[in-house]
Amino acid sequence: MKSDTAVHEENGLPGAGVALRAGLVGRGIQQSLSPRMHVAEGTRLGLDYEYHLFDFDILGASDSDLPSLVEKLGREGYAGLNVTHPFKERVISCLDGLSADADVIGAVNTVVFGPSGPIGHNTDCWGFAESFRRGLHAPRLKTVVLLGAGGAGLAVAKALLDLGAGRIAIADTDPGKSIRLSKHIGETYGADRIADATDLEAAVAGASGVVNATPVGMAKYPGTPLPVDWLRPDQWVSDIVYFPAETELLKAARAIGCQVLPGAGMAIFQAVMAFRLITGVDPDPVQMAAHFGAR
């Protein structure tokens, strides 16, 4: 087995004994549990690991400041960054390359600084798929309604298709975004498997399951992304929001009798992969989940 030092040096990262610095870039991220998970697992593994928040709301920064921040952190020796709302697509223009998944998805949630410059990855896709496989019992995937065509929605769409979804109907408050997502992902998976949901109520009525990949349900954006009386007991409902742990959508769906998949699983598993990419060391998913749930 390679030492931490060897793994780090192969990836152009600091060797053992040198502080690894990483962070999260986004807006409204003060309640994020990413710092807790990353730092606690780094400490458990004997890494000198720092993880900082770069909250554009707190910094009073504009979206146009993103390129200069990414360049500055790379110059300062950061090992990597996590990227969240609203920068998962915008950050691509700040990078020197993309992983295969990030290229297909068209969104990045993890940046690794290495010898070739900043490279973008997408761990949301794997994180959602792993959570889905473990968190639902025999879910039907004939037709899925996906709410939200932003960076998270792009990753979830690919994950669902890789999991075997027959068809995905996408809805967004900006119809242009759902059309663009359908076209982008459809180029890889086929236009017949993904399309814009022109009539959302009808799409939900015919769906096996529903995924909320919008910020609606977060403490900052309370409410539900669709009328809950559209749901049926035989459907499964997933939400990528993890704070609060049970959103209004999931609470209502559970009361109806639906199988539900909270956002915590995706948050934990995307962090597992992001930790591995940033540090070059394999974390323990069970321990990461324990760090996530610690109070």
Side-chain angles (χ1 to χ4, degrees), residues 3 15 74 145 155 159 200 271:
S3 68
V145 168
L200 182 55

Side-chain angles (χ1 to χ4, degrees), residues 7 29 62 110 118 131 143 181 183 194 236 239 251 275 285:
V7 173
I29 56 176
S62 68
T110 302
S131 175
T143 305
L181 188 156
K183 182 178 179 181
I194 188 163
W236 55 264
D239 203 324
K251 190 179 297 184
F275 185 99

Side-chain angles (χ1 to χ4, degrees), residues 1 4-5 12 46 62 69 77 86 102 107 143 153 160 183 194 202 204 216 219 228 232 265 285:
M1 180 179 292
D4 291 352
T5 302
S62 68
L69 176 65
T143 305
L160 287 168
K183 182 178 179 181
I194 188 163
V204 173
V216 178
V228 295
R232 303 189 315 272

Side-chain angles (χ1 to χ4, degrees), residues 12-238:
L13 303 176
V18 178
L20 281 163
R21 286 184 295 169
L24 174 65
V25 179
R27 289 190 179 278
I29 56 176
Q30 294 305 301
Q31 294 175 320
S32 171
L33 297 181
S34 288
R36 175 194 297 173
M37 284 191 285
H38 279 257
V39 173
E41 186 64 359
T43 299
R44 191 187 71 82
L45 292 170
L47 302 177
D48 184 359
Y49 191 23
E50 300 175 2
Y51 193 98
H52 304 280
L53 292 179
F54 298 96
D55 189 330
F56 274 43
D57 286 349
I58 299 296
L59 296 172
S62 68
D63 290 0
S64 61
D65 292 322
L66 182 64
S68 61
L69 176 65
V70 172
E71 192 275 333
K72 175 176 178 287
L73 296 179
R75 191 174 63 247
E76 291 180 352
Y78 271 68
L81 296 171
N82 288 134
V83 182
T84 190
H85 178 77
F87 298 129
K88 292 183 180 182
E89 295 168 88
R90 182 184 289 266
V91 76
I92 291 175
S93 65
C94 308
L95 307 177
D96 290 334
L98 296 175
S99 69
D101 271 0
D103 189 35
V104 170
I105 293 164
V108 163
N109 79 316
T110 302
V111 175
V112 177
F113 295 104
S116 301
I119 304 299
H121 301 261
N122 193 297
T123 71
D124 282 336
C125 181
W126 183 83
F128 179 83
E130 194 68 11
S131 175
F132 191 94
R133 281 189 286 263
R134 299 184 185 212
L136 292 175
H137 176 66
R140 293 178 300 115
L141 281 164
K142 183 177 180 181
T143 305
V144 180
V145 168
L146 173 60
L147 306 170
L154 285 158
V156 170
K158 182 180 186 301
L160 287 168
L161 290 166
D162 287 343
L163 286 163
R167 187 173 183 277
I168 299 175
I170 305 168
D172 195 280
T173 52
D174 178 352
K177 289 181 70 175
S178 57
I179 293 171
R180 286 193 297 274
L181 188 156
S182 300
K183 182 178 179 181
H184 178 74
I185 299 293
E187 289 174 355
T188 300
Y189 289 89
D192 60 327
R193 294 185 67 192
I194 188 163
D196 177 43
T198 53
D199 183 339
L200 182 55
E201 184 174 3
V204 173
S208 310
V210 176
V211 182
N212 176 38
T214 79
V216 178
M218 294 173 61
K220 186 176 179 181
Y221 306 103
T224 62
L226 51 66
V228 295
D229 60 4
W230 289 0
L231 300 173
R232 303 189 315 272
D234 64 323
Q235 293 172 316
W236 55 264
V237 179
S238 172

